[in-house]
Amino acid sequence: MSVSLTRYLVEQQRSKGHIPSELRLLLEVVARACKGISHAVNKGALGGVLGSAGSANVQGEVQKKLDIIANDVLIEANEWGGHLAAMASEEMDTIHAVPNRYPQGEYLLLFDPLDGSSNIDVNVSIGTIFSVLKKADASTMVRESDFLQAGTRQVAAGYCVYGPQTTLVLTVGDGVAMFTLDREQGSFVLTQEDVKIPEDTQEFAINMSNMRHWAAPVRRYVDECLQGKEGPRGKDFNMRWVASMVADVHRILTRGGIFLYPWDKREPGKAGKLRLMYEANPMSWLIEQAGGAASNGSARILDLEPAQLHQRVSVILGSRHEVERVVRYHQETAPAA
Ligand code: P6P
């Protein structure tokens, strides 16, 4: 008997008391929105959804048509449910408060509606990343500052990867579960629960073209991996880089590995490329819930107190022993306190 996402969430609610009904409803609405995005993505050229939208987002990046479609699908799906106070997206400058014509809820939804956009037109896996927080004070009008909470405050986090399968990966703080979209039934079916990442790995993921810009600890770590059996690690490593965080993280959750998008000296004032609130925090919680680790090189990502909604962060996450090694290398080169 297959277990649907709905049944899994009801059982989580009933047996573990982990998720109130409003949060369960929210997660089911997000999953339904991801189904809609998957449908649009799968149409590709047939749906006239490829290519640039001719606009730029708050990050100054060229928006793809599907970026905007995915954002609109998530906004429209989540506005009326009564479980949200507001939403925040990589594609929107500021928060989107639930319109007054709908009931306001206590949850805050953050998302990167379509991560990995550079891969859309070349038919490589992309995905939606989402994070759920609770509004601290239910009595006040929702503001951007309500979103500025550390990753440890998340009540749910996940992503949906649009690849050979459409797979929803979710945590509500009781481990990580994976649900594969059964297109015949039109529902997400539980295909793995209690996901665990091996503590060691022989596979690293980083954009090697940036090597000359990395800080010394990252350079040392990657150099040692490249030296293989003859080097200090005494084993050979493999390298992967999809340039879709969702795809790289899904591989790591499935078979282990380490993912690095570190600070580099191309723009020294920028902490990193990836965004803390709707990329690094949800992915870091999933990785930790699966037994891995996630650091910015000197601190646990989930402990970082955000100052801005779209702030960036250096990301090193995956198999625990490998992340700890990279952090150790940073500590060994950190200026004496
Ligand atoms: P680069 C996609 O644009 C993204 O935000 C992540 O999904 C991905 O890991 C990274 O950027 C890829 O960056 O510089 O290798 O293209």
Side-chain angles (χ1 to χ4, degrees):
M1 168 70 179
S2 64
V3 175
S4 68
L5 173 66
T6 300
R7 177 174 165 185
Y8 174 86
L9 292 174
V10 166
E11 289 176 350
Q12 278 286 324
Q13 182 183 350
R14 182 190 306 144
S15 60
K16 311 276 178 71
H18 250 285
I19 47 173
S21 298
E22 283 301 280
L23 179 57
R24 176 169 64 81
L25 271 174
L26 166 56
L27 294 173
E28 291 197 83
V29 169
V30 170
R32 250 194 313 281
C34 289
K35 260 195 299 188
I37 295 169
S38 174
H39 185 69
V41 165
N42 286 170
K43 277 188 176 172
L46 297 176
V49 295
L50 299 184
S52 165
S55 53
N57 65 16
V58 63
Q59 330 287 345
E61 294 164 341
V62 172
Q63 284 180 307
K64 301 282 192 176
K65 287 178 191 167
L66 271 170
D67 280 324
I68 295 173
I69 292 168
N71 196 65
D72 292 347
V73 166
L74 282 158
I75 294 286
E76 284 152 28
N78 283 287
E79 274 190 324
W80 50 269
H83 37 262
L84 284 181
M87 292 173 254
S89 164
E90 179 188 79
E91 301 303 330
M92 301 188 296
D93 293 8
T94 187
I95 66 169
H96 176 90
V98 168
N100 292 333
R101 63 182 180 279
Y102 298 123
Q104 304 275 313
E106 59 181 341
Y107 293 105
L108 304 169
L109 178 65
L110 303 96
F111 46 82
D112 179 356
L114 208 54
D115 174 69
S117 305
S118 60
N119 284 318
I120 293 176
D121 298 349
V122 294
N123 202 12
V124 169
S125 299
I126 49 184
T128 298
I129 309 172
F130 61 90
S131 170
V132 183
L133 295 167
K134 270 187 84 167
K135 186 166 174 290
D137 180 348
S139 65
T140 57
M141 178 73 78
V142 67
R143 294 167 304 182
E144 188 167 297
S145 55
D146 291 315
F147 284 77
L148 302 183
Q149 302 180 42
T152 48
R153 309 279 298 165
Q154 294 174 99
V155 293
Y159 61 82
C160 192
V161 54
Y162 312 117
Q165 304 95 41
T166 287
T167 302
L168 181 78
V169 180
L170 176 70
T171 185
V172 292
D174 185 36
V176 175
M178 295 186 173
F179 304 82
T180 303
L181 180 61
D182 175 345
R183 293 194 185 281
E184 288 161 13
Q185 299 290 330
S187 60
F188 282 103
V189 176
L190 180 68
T191 42
Q192 194 174 347
E193 60 182 326
D194 198 21
V195 172
K196 284 287 174 260
I197 302 177
E199 291 186 322
D200 297 295
T201 183
Q202 291 179 242
E203 193 163 66
F204 67 94
I206 193 166
N207 183 335
M208 292 293 287
S209 69
N210 300 327
M211 180 179 262
R212 65 190 183 284
H213 306 302
W214 297 335
V218 172
R219 184 69 189 260
R220 174 184 172 191
Y221 176 76
V222 173
D223 279 342
E224 290 179 355
C225 290
L226 294 175
Q227 290 172 49
K229 274 201 286 282
E230 296 73 39
R233 300 302 307 274
K235 58 184 181 179
D236 290 338
F237 279 74
N238 188 30
M239 190 223 112
R240 286 284 183 275
W241 188 249
V242 184
S244 268
M245 185 185 197
V246 173
D248 282 315
V249 168
H250 192 72
R251 186 189 58 255
I252 289 168
L253 281 170
T254 305
R255 69 185 192 208
I258 182 171
F259 170 99
L260 303 95
Y261 210 115
W263 171 93
D264 70 47
K265 49 181 186 281
R266 284 176 292 178
E267 293 181 77
K270 219 163 94 173
K273 172 176 187 184
L274 303 179
R275 289 83 173 180
L276 175 62
M277 298 305 295
Y278 41 79
E279 288 177 330
N281 272 344
M283 290 311 206
S284 297
W285 197 26
L286 286 165
I287 291 288
E288 286 198 5
Q289 281 286 309
S295 170
N296 68 355
S298 56
R300 180 187 180 217
I301 284 177
L302 292 181
D303 288 336
L304 299 176
E305 287 297 339
Q308 289 149 2
L309 186 62
H310 297 293
Q311 81 181 55
R312 298 172 189 266
V313 65
S314 174
V315 178
I316 300 150
L317 58 76
S319 292
R320 174 168 296 282
H321 291 163
E322 291 303 306
V323 173
E324 288 169 351
R325 175 182 291 270
V326 179
V327 171
R328 196 164 59 245
Y329 290 1
H330 279 78
Q331 289 163 344
E332 288 167 4
T333 53

